[in-house]
Amino acid sequence: MPTIYDIAREAGVSITTVSNILNNKGRFKPETVARVLEAVERLKYRPNFAARSLAARRTNTLALSALLTPESFDPLNLQYFGAIAQAVSRSGFNFLLHISHNLESFERFASMGICDGWLLMMVRRQDERIALLKEMGVPFVSIGRPDEMEEVDVVDTDFEQTARLALEHLLALGHRRIAYLAEPLEFGYSAIRLRAYLACLKEYGLEENADLVAETDGTEAGTVRALEALWSKGRSITAIITHDIPALTVLRTLREWGLQVPEDVSVIGCSDSPLAALADPPLTTINLYVERIAEAAAGALARRLQEPEAPPAHTLIPARLVVRGSTGSAPSVG
Amino acid sequence: MPTIYDIAREAGVSITTVSNILNNKGRFKPETVARVLEAVERLKYRPNFAARSLAARRTNTLALSALLTPESFDPLNLQYFGAIAQAVSRSGFNFLLHISHNLESFERFASMGICDGWLLMMVRRQDERIALLKEMGVPFVSIGRPDEMEEVDVVDTDFEQTARLALEHLLALGHRRIAYLAEPLEFGYSAIRLRAYLACLKEYGLEENADLVAETDGTEAGTVRALEALWSKGRSITAIITHDIPALTVLRTLREWGLQVPEDVSVIGCSDSPLAALADPPLTTINLYVERIAEAAAGALARRLQEPEAPPAHTLIPARLVVRGSTGSAPSVG
DNA sequence: GCGCTTTTGTAAAGCGCTTTAGCAATCGGC
DNA sequence: GCCGATTGCTAAAGCGCTTTACAAAAGCGC
């Protein structure tokens, strides 16, 4: 591997000059720049990451933290990974993805100073990573809202709007008895979504009714139980709002019960997971504009690095309804 | 952030001693070790990654390379990520995941020397990452088989066995007209699987018949077309072997055609993606023991780092059949 | 208590960069 | 043709570690 000294020698300049040219600092004769660049090209020189990071006390690298949990197997996460990887690269930073199975492994990695800042995914209501990063003084952006978000940069979906999108779609189709099947409420986003749904219900003058809300524990069996709870209340539910993953189970369970989707019951998901289109029937859902979220998050982190003292920013990204085959007109009341 | 000098001062020793103790080199009085460790603990000292890498010319970090492609949205990949992250950590290395959308982004990252070795996922038949890493002299292990694999460390599923597993299961259920719907054959694993299936067919004395083989281009529409091609041949197929993702489309399409699974047609997948259990009916498939693959790959890379000159090793991991609801007895011939 | 090895430690060099401070040459204005 | 500003470049320090080479102290056999 060639070093900066090799380049300097080849180009007939000092290593300072090479360094400055490579980092666009100072002014140089175009001819000098050309000589240096040519040498870089010819020797296939790449600055050594460790040396550069050590000297500059900056790694120019941003990391995305993902958690390894049973519920993290939504392929939507892969879309996030990809979109964030691209967004970060476009901002001129190196990107890396860290997957941790526990806080300790995250802490170990975070305290090695391998990256300048963090993007946090799968954020919990009381996320320990946030506390840790704050304590260490490492810049970060939370993708998703923790309970205490005043002091943190947050990028998230505008769930108030997604609730409205889902509800208005169903209302327009004539549905009035609309159930909500929530993912575990310990996940911040789930609680926020439920709240938004309830607020929106009220806004439209529909009764807020505990019979119409159920919570799954995240497992398939839990989803079936939640669905049974909903149905056991004996009121004629014609539509159900849930998340994409439980929706798959809902779809299958309803079919087992002899109910047709969307003829008897409409089902709407909440995040346009790649699975949604593969479902049977294809799931009507809400697309989260993953790319925009990624872009906003990468941008927010880059800004935070530039201006450490700027006030925290909260960015909510709008979503859009994707109508597929799982929603239809409400059955006419018999 | 405390440095090694702070620890040395606190413990009353030299920085060499601190370094040696932290890296288990040389012999020291238990008392000295205790003093150093206590200081480390108290000041929450973590060796600086950049400084350490620069001085040691080793980063003690292993990276997993994933590609960002449309077909990479199988949540099975998330299982791989998680399992490999854990296996690598257990081997005592730092782990990081790199997602590249093209070769250039991979090359840029790989040539920064941020990691000592690579694990390659989603390996293509002619994978450019392999050529690149070889040229750079960077150790790596390929998870999956490239066309030219004599000179590379490979860990892969034993597809000869998976083919047998699938075929024997269907044969035992009385199926004789068994179709194979392959993923794009440009993916190495797809070609290997098809070959294994054909070999196994022959072994059981079944006719090898072009009418029973089709290839999807990876899209949903392509899968439907492939399925139509199979059915248009006019022979009464009673079972179909495919991969998990296309299987979802197959399931839905067959239902649209009025065919019952498994009463009329049995469907078997090939990798026990988390999706398989969510399918309707739940998909009979082959579980790949992702953890074992991860363990083997991490182990192979660690070994390669220790013994750069050892001959390349090829490790095939066996799989197991997971019987769920998509396979059943062959319909009695009318 | 002499020579030997083993134990326990240290000083100093250097990994490959960035950054700071500064200097020589050139230029424009008068 | 003198002065200050600008342009174009460099020497040297130092980032926080590991490693090499070496040394003092302790233990041991006799």
Side-chain angles (χ1 to χ4, degrees):
Chain A
M1 287 277 134
T3 72
I4 199 171
Y5 289 93
D6 299 316
I7 304 302
R9 185 168 14 77
E10 291 290 310
V13 295
S14 72
I15 62 162
T16 308
T17 299
V18 175
S19 175
N20 282 329
I21 286 177
L22 258 26
N23 294 300
N24 305 308
K25 292 189 179 162
R27 308 192 51 75
F28 296 91
K29 279 203 283 209
E31 187 210 316
T32 312
V33 172
R35 275 213 319 284
V36 167
L37 261 26
E38 184 274 335
V40 166
E41 203 62 35
R42 186 154 43 81
L43 303 192
K44 290 182 193 301
Y45 166 74
R46 301 279 176 178
N48 178 288
F49 176 78
R52 183 183 268 227
S53 305
L54 181 58
R57 284 183 223 93
R58 210 169 7 83
T59 65
N60 205 36
T61 298
L62 268 25
L64 172 62
S65 164
L67 262 26
L68 188 66
T69 63
E71 81 275 9
S72 64
F73 288 124
D74 186 338
L76 181 63
N77 288 325
L78 288 163
Q79 288 195 339
Y80 273 110
F81 293 171
I84 293 171
Q86 289 201 275
V88 168
S89 298
R90 268 199 301 273
S91 332
F93 289 89
N94 300 313
F95 172 77
L96 50 83
L97 178 47
H98 187 252
I99 295 187
S100 50
H101 22 285
N102 53 42
L103 185 69
E104 193 213 323
S105 98
F106 174 79
E107 177 176 9
R108 211 178 33 239
F109 194 88
S111 58
M112 291 195 318
I114 237 175
C115 61
D116 296 335
W118 285 91
L119 259 14
L120 265 27
M121 263 182 73
M122 304 163 186
V123 172
R124 297 289 180 254
R125 298 182 61 169
Q126 314 279 344
D127 203 296
E128 292 168 298
R129 292 171 296 174
I130 292 185
L132 195 65
L133 257 16
K134 275 191 169 179
E135 189 195 320
M136 303 198 315
V138 174
F140 67 93
V141 167
S142 170
I143 300 177
R145 300 174 233 180
D147 276 353
E148 303 267 323
M149 55 182 270
E150 293 73 32
E151 298 290 299
V152 346
D153 286 310
V154 168
V155 173
D156 201 5
T157 296
D158 182 351
F159 288 123
E160 284 69 23
Q161 190 226 7
T162 63
R164 182 180 311 277
L165 247 24
L167 211 49
E168 287 181 349
H169 173 61
L170 294 173
L171 289 172
L173 288 169
H175 295 274
R176 288 301 174 269
R177 300 205 51 80
I178 301 169
Y180 191 92
L181 199 164
E183 290 203 310
L185 294 172
E186 50 167 329
F187 304 164
Y189 68 86
S190 186
I192 291 172
R193 288 184 188 196
L194 175 57
R195 208 159 48 233
Y197 158 78
L198 293 176
C200 196
L201 257 193
K202 183 180 285 178
E203 193 179 313
Y204 277 95
L206 293 183
E207 49 172 336
E208 179 181 316
N209 191 321
D211 288 359
L212 291 174
V213 174
E215 176 186 1
T216 171
D217 60 10
T219 66
E220 263 198 86
T223 302
V224 172
R225 273 197 303 276
L227 203 56
E228 284 167 350
L230 247 20
W231 251 253
S232 73
K233 302 291 165 50
R235 328 270 298 271
S236 49
I237 291 166
T238 67
I240 175 162
I241 301 179
T242 183
H243 303 237
D244 284 21
I245 301 293
L248 298 181
T249 303
V250 167
L251 251 25
R252 202 178 68 206
T253 306
L254 290 177
R255 176 152 43 221
E256 274 169 21
W257 292 354
L259 290 170
Q260 300 244 68
V261 174
E263 290 78 2
D264 300 320
V265 182
S266 284
V267 176
I268 184 166
C270 261
S271 51
D272 201 12
S273 163
L275 298 184
L278 292 174
D280 184 9
L283 195 66
T284 295
T285 184
I286 312 284
N287 184 287
L288 266 27
Y289 288 119
V290 166
E291 289 77 13
R292 287 200 210 166
I293 295 177
E295 200 68 49
L301 185 51
R303 233 167 294 126
R304 171 63 53 208
L305 289 173
Q306 286 215 329
E307 297 187 50
E309 301 308 332
H314 295 171
T315 312
L316 295 187
I317 308 293
R320 74 168 210 279
L321 182 71
V322 179
V323 179
R324 286 196 273 246
S326 67
T327 50
S329 300
S332 44
V333 185
Chain B
M1 287 277 132
T3 72
I4 198 170
Y5 289 93
D6 299 317
I7 303 304
R9 184 167 13 80
E10 291 290 311
V13 296
S14 71
I15 61 162
T16 307
T17 299
V18 175
S19 174
N20 282 330
I21 286 178
L22 257 25
N23 294 299
N24 304 309
K25 292 188 178 163
R27 308 193 48 75
F28 296 92
K29 277 202 283 210
E31 187 210 317
T32 312
V33 172
R35 272 212 322 282
V36 168
L37 261 26
E38 184 274 334
V40 165
E41 203 63 34
R42 186 154 43 81
L43 303 192
K44 290 181 191 299
Y45 166 75
R46 301 280 175 177
N48 177 288
F49 176 78
R52 182 183 268 223
S53 305
L54 181 58
R57 284 184 219 94
R58 212 170 5 84
T59 65
N60 205 36
T61 299
L62 269 25
L64 171 62
S65 165
L67 262 26
L68 187 66
T69 63
E71 83 274 9
S72 63
F73 288 125
D74 186 339
L76 181 62
N77 289 323
L78 288 164
Q79 289 196 338
Y80 273 110
F81 294 170
I84 293 171
Q86 288 199 276
V88 168
S89 298
R90 268 199 301 272
S91 330
F93 289 90
N94 300 313
F95 172 78
L96 49 85
L97 177 47
H98 187 251
I99 295 188
S100 49
H101 22 283
N102 55 40
L103 185 69
E104 194 213 323
S105 97
F106 174 78
E107 177 176 10
R108 211 176 36 237
F109 195 87
S111 57
M112 290 194 318
I114 237 174
C115 63
D116 295 336
W118 284 91
L119 259 13
L120 264 28
M121 262 183 73
M122 305 164 185
V123 173
R124 298 287 180 255
R125 298 183 61 168
Q126 314 279 343
D127 204 294
E128 292 168 298
R129 291 172 296 175
I130 292 184
L132 194 66
L133 257 16
K134 276 191 170 180
E135 189 196 321
M136 303 197 315
V138 174
F140 67 93
V141 167
S142 171
I143 301 177
R145 299 174 234 181
D147 276 355
E148 305 266 324
M149 55 181 270
E150 293 74 30
E151 299 289 300
V152 345
D153 286 310
V154 169
V155 172
D156 201 6
T157 295
D158 181 352
F159 288 123
E160 286 69 23
Q161 189 226 7
T162 63
R164 182 179 311 277
L165 247 24
L167 210 50
E168 288 181 348
H169 173 61
L170 293 173
L171 289 171
L173 288 169
H175 295 274
R176 287 302 173 270
R177 299 206 52 78
I178 301 169
Y180 190 92
L181 200 166
E183 289 203 311
L185 294 171
E186 51 167 327
F187 304 162
Y189 68 86
S190 184
I192 291 172
R193 287 183 188 197
L194 174 57
R195 208 158 49 233
Y197 158 79
L198 293 175
C200 195
L201 257 194
K202 183 180 283 176
E203 193 179 311
Y204 277 95
L206 293 183
E207 51 173 334
E208 180 182 318
N209 191 322
D211 288 359
L212 289 175
V213 174
E215 177 186 0
T216 171
D217 60 9
T219 66
E220 263 199 85
T223 301
V224 172
R225 274 196 302 276
L227 203 57
E228 285 168 350
L230 247 21
W231 251 252
S232 73
K233 302 292 166 46
R235 327 274 296 273
S236 50
I237 292 167
T238 66
I240 175 161
I241 301 179
T242 184
H243 303 237
D244 285 20
I245 300 292
L248 298 182
T249 303
V250 167
L251 252 23
R252 203 178 65 205
T253 307
L254 290 177
R255 175 153 42 220
E256 274 168 22
W257 293 354
L259 290 170
Q260 299 245 69
V261 175
E263 290 76 4
D264 300 319
V265 183
S266 283
V267 176
I268 184 167
C270 262
S271 49
D272 201 11
S273 163
L275 297 186
L278 291 174
D280 184 11
L283 195 67
T284 295
T285 184
I286 312 285
N287 184 285
L288 266 28
Y289 289 118
V290 166
E291 288 78 13
R292 287 200 209 167
I293 295 178
E295 200 67 50
L301 185 51
R303 234 168 293 126
R304 171 63 52 207
L305 289 173
Q306 285 215 331
E307 297 188 49
E309 301 307 332
H314 295 171
T315 312
L316 295 187
I317 308 293
R320 76 167 207 280
L321 182 72
V322 179
V323 179
R324 285 196 271 247
S326 66
T327 49
S329 300
S332 42
V333 186

